[in-house]
Amino acid sequence: MKSIPKLIRRFVGIMTLSIILLVSLNITFFAIVFVRNTSTFSPWDMAGHVAAALQLTDGGYSISDDVMVKLKEENSWAFLINNDTRQVVWRTDNLPDNIPMEYTLSDIAELTRGYIDGYPTFTGEAQDGLLVVGYPKDRFWKHTRASWDYNFIANLPKNTMIILAINLVLIFLISVAVDFKLLRSIKPITNGIQNLSNGSPVCMKEEGVLSELAEKINKTSEILQMQAEQLRKKETARANWIAGVSHDVRTPLSMIMGYAGQLEHSKNLSEIECKKAAVIVKQSSRIKDLINDLNLASKLEYDMQPLTMKQENVIAMTRQVIVDFMNTNIDDKFPIEWKTDKALSACYIMADKDLLKRAISNLIQNSINHNENGCVIYASVDDDNNTCKICIEDNGIGACDEQIDRLNNTPHYMICDTNTTEQRHGLGLLIVKQIIKGHNGKVLIGHSEYGGLKVVLIIPK
C-alpha cells in the first residue's frame, strides 16, 4: 500500500528532525552554561596586570588603589617573591596565614602550574621578582598535569564530527529497532481498513501492540458483512416480489384489455359506454407499460439485465426512434424536429442498441406525457471529442428549478400533478438514468432554450 512508505517517511522525518532539534538544544544549552560560568577575564591577565602595577619606591613596594580594588572585588590576594632570596618581600593584607614566606625552585614551579595549599595561583613577571595572585579554593580549577599529543589536538574537530555522526546513527538505529515491531503491525491494520472500505471480509491476527485495534476491525467487518447479507436478502426479496406481482398481474390485465377492447367496438353499447371502454383499454395499456418499466428498472438496478455492447451509430439509432414515433400516427400536437448538424453523419459508440433506443424513446414519450396541450420536440446528436451527446428537449411547460434539482440529484424521484390519471416524471427518467449509467455515461436535466425541459445524455466513446 502507498500509505506504508508514506508512514515510514513521516516517521523517519520526524525522528531526524527530533535528533537535529535535540542536538541543537544541547549545544545551545552547553554554550549558555559555558558562557555563564566562564569569567569575563583571565586570571593570568589579572596576575600580569597586578605585576605591572607593582612599583618599587624608596619607601618599598607600592600598588595603585584601583588595582587593590579589583583584587578585593575578586576576593583574591597577592604577594611578590624576590628573585635572589626567593622570599616574600611584599604582600597584600588579606594574605592567608598558611601561605609560606619562603620558596624553593620546586615550590615556585608547583605554584606556577597549580596550587599553594589548595589555593589556585597565577603568576606574572614583576620588577625584581615573581608576582603571585591567589584565589579562593573554589574559584578556579587548574590542569596541573595537562599534556596533549599534537595530532590529537589537530584532529580534534574531525574526530568530534565523526563521534557525533556515529552517535546520531546509533540513535537512529536504536529508534528503528524499538519501533520496528510497531511499524510491522501497522501494515495489516491499514490493509484491513482498506478491505473494510471495499466491502471485503477482514480477518486479522489479534496479536502484537495493536491487537486491540485488530480485534475492533474484525468485529466491524463481521457487523458489515452481516448487514450486507441482510441487505442482499431484502433486495432479493424485493426483486422477487416485483417479478412475482408483475407476472400475476399480466394475466388478469390481458383479460381486462381483451374484454374492454371488444366492448369498445361493440355495436350493442351506447357511444358513452364505448368511450368508457376505450378509457379502460387506454389505462390498462398504461398499467402494462408501467409493469414492464418496473421490471426493467428492477433488473437494471440489480444488474440482472445483461448489456450487449456493440459499435453503434448514435445518429442512425436516434433517427430510427423518431421514425418509429412518427409511424405510430402520434397526435399532430407533438411534431419532432431534427436539429443535428447536417455535416455530422455518424457518431459511433459502444452501446446496447435496444436499451439506448429505449432511453431515447422514454425521453420523447416523457415530453408527450408532460405536455397535454402539445409541444414541439427537438432532437439532436453532437460529437464532442471523446463523448457523444444526445439531446431531447421541448418548448412545453417545463419544470421549476426545485423540480429539476430533484430530478438531477434524487435517483428515485417521481413527480405527479393533481391529475393522477397522467403520471409525469417517474419510472421513465429513472430507467433512462439506469441505462446511461450502464454505459458509463451521465444524464443532465435542465431548462431548454425553447422554454421547456431539456435532457442531455452524455456517453463516452
Side-chain angles (χ1 to χ4, degrees):
M1 291 178 60
K2 295 181 179 179
S3 57
I4 295 299
K6 183 178 179 181
L7 182 62
I8 294 175
R9 288 194 300 269
R10 180 180 176 85
F11 168 75
V12 172
I14 292 175
M15 185 165 52
T16 303
L17 183 61
S18 301
I19 292 173
I20 293 174
L21 181 61
L22 184 62
V23 172
S24 301
L25 289 176
N26 276 275
I27 293 175
T28 304
F29 172 75
F30 283 112
I32 293 173
V33 170
F34 179 78
V35 170
R36 292 186 61 181
N37 290 274
T38 301
S39 179
T40 57
F41 72 98
S42 169
W44 294 101
D45 293 339
M46 183 66 175
H49 182 65
V50 175
L54 186 63
Q55 299 293 326
L56 177 61
T57 63
D58 293 339
Y61 290 95
S62 64
I63 194 169
S64 61
D65 293 338
D66 59 334
V67 174
M68 287 302 297
V69 171
K70 290 183 180 180
L71 287 171
K72 289 180 180 179
E73 288 177 352
E74 292 292 327
N75 196 21
S76 59
W77 38 263
F79 63 88
L80 179 65
I81 302 174
N82 186 267
N83 285 335
D84 298 329
T85 63
R86 291 189 290 277
Q87 292 181 350
V88 175
V89 295
W90 175 85
R91 64 179 182 176
T92 58
D93 295 337
N94 60 341
L95 185 71
D97 296 335
N98 56 343
I99 299 300
M101 293 293 104
E102 186 175 352
Y103 295 86
T104 64
L105 291 177
S106 61
D107 292 335
I108 293 173
E110 181 66 25
L111 70 86
T112 300
R113 68 181 182 183
Y115 302 83
I116 298 178
D117 196 23
Y119 294 97
T121 54
F122 303 87
T123 60
E125 184 179 357
Q127 186 178 1
D128 299 327
L130 181 68
L131 183 83
V132 180
V133 177
Y135 290 86
K137 293 181 178 181
D138 59 354
R139 185 71 170 82
F140 292 105
W141 175 67
K142 297 179 69 178
H143 295 277
T144 60
R145 299 291 187 270
S147 179
W148 306 99
D149 183 85
Y150 179 82
N151 290 330
F152 172 77
I153 298 298
N155 296 326
L156 185 60
K158 180 180 69 175
N159 292 335
T160 302
M161 295 303 297
I162 292 174
I163 293 173
L164 179 62
I166 292 174
N167 276 275
L168 294 178
V169 171
L170 287 176
I171 293 173
F172 178 81
L173 293 177
I174 291 172
S175 301
V176 171
V178 170
D179 295 325
F180 177 74
K181 191 172 184 179
L182 176 63
L183 291 174
R184 188 172 57 181
S185 302
I186 289 176
K187 184 174 182 179
I189 294 293
T190 54
N191 288 336
I193 294 175
Q194 185 179 34
N195 289 334
L196 282 180
S197 65
N198 295 333
S200 303
V202 177
C203 183
M204 300 175 55
K205 293 183 179 179
E206 299 174 5
E207 59 184 15
V209 293
L210 299 177
S211 58
E212 185 176 354
L213 182 58
E215 179 184 358
K216 298 298 182 182
I217 292 177
N218 287 337
K219 289 183 179 179
T220 302
S221 176
E222 292 176 3
I223 294 173
L224 291 177
Q225 292 301 313
M226 187 181 302
Q227 292 177 345
E229 181 62 26
Q230 292 175 352
L231 182 62
R232 280 193 292 270
K233 289 181 179 179
K234 290 180 181 179
E235 298 296 348
T236 301
R238 188 177 76 164
N240 292 337
W241 181 83
I242 291 174
V245 170
S246 300
H247 180 270
D248 293 341
V249 168
R250 281 195 183 95
T251 300
L253 185 61
S254 298
M255 296 177 63
I256 292 172
M257 292 180 67
Y259 289 135
Q262 293 177 8
L263 293 174
E264 179 185 5
H265 300 94
S266 175
K267 296 180 179 180
N268 298 325
L269 298 178
S270 65
E271 183 179 353
I272 295 177
E273 290 172 334
C274 288
K275 289 182 178 180
K276 290 180 178 180
V279 172
I280 294 174
V281 172
K282 182 179 179 182
Q283 295 304 320
S284 297
S285 178
R286 291 195 71 251
I287 293 174
K288 182 179 179 181
D289 292 339
L290 287 174
I291 291 173
N292 292 333
D293 286 347
L294 188 62
N295 269 325
L296 179 59
S298 179
K299 290 180 180 180
L300 290 172
E301 183 175 357
Y302 300 112
D303 296 325
M304 293 186 295
Q305 175 71 32
L307 272 65
T308 305
M309 308 294 281
K310 294 181 180 179
Q311 194 82 3
E312 301 287 353
N313 184 359
V314 178
I315 293 181
M317 189 188 310
T318 307
R319 283 180 175 274
Q320 183 62 49
V321 173
I322 295 173
V323 170
D324 291 341
F325 266 92
M326 291 179 174
N327 290 338
T328 57
N329 295 319
I330 61 174
D331 198 320
D332 292 338
K333 295 188 300 182
F334 302 101
I336 302 176
E337 293 189 12
W338 181 248
K339 305 295 290 185
T340 303
D341 188 355
K342 295 181 179 180
L344 184 64
S345 60
C347 182
Y348 289 94
I349 61 171
M350 294 298 296
D352 185 311
K353 184 177 182 180
D354 292 336
L355 285 180
L356 193 54
K357 287 176 66 175
R358 176 66 182 273
I360 299 170
S361 176
N362 279 7
L363 294 179
I364 296 175
Q365 188 63 48
N366 185 72
S367 293
I368 295 173
N369 295 339
H370 182 61
N371 300 281
E372 59 182 14
N373 294 325
C375 68
V376 179
I377 301 172
Y378 304 91
S380 64
V381 177
D382 184 25
D383 189 348
D384 185 13
N385 295 328
N386 297 324
T387 61
C388 181
K389 295 182 178 180
I390 306 171
C391 178
I392 304 296
E393 52 188 327
D394 58 61
N395 62 352
I397 62 175
C400 66
D401 291 338
E402 181 182 358
Q403 291 173 335
I404 289 177
D405 182 67
R406 291 180 182 177
L407 289 170
N408 277 313
N409 300 302
T410 308
H412 298 282
Y413 182 67
M414 298 173 70
I415 303 175
C416 290
D417 55 18
T418 53
N419 180 11
T420 57
T421 61
E422 291 294 335
Q423 185 184 35
R424 292 170 67 189
H425 308 297
L427 280 176
L429 284 178
L430 173 61
I431 292 173
V432 170
K433 288 185 176 183
Q434 290 174 329
I435 292 174
I436 301 304
K437 181 181 178 181
H439 288 77
N440 298 318
K442 58 182 179 180
V443 179
L444 299 180
I445 304 173
H447 297 288
S448 170
E449 61 180 275
Y450 302 104
L453 192 71
K454 175 181 180 180
V455 182
V456 180
L457 311 181
I458 304 175
I459 305 174
K461 293 183 179 179

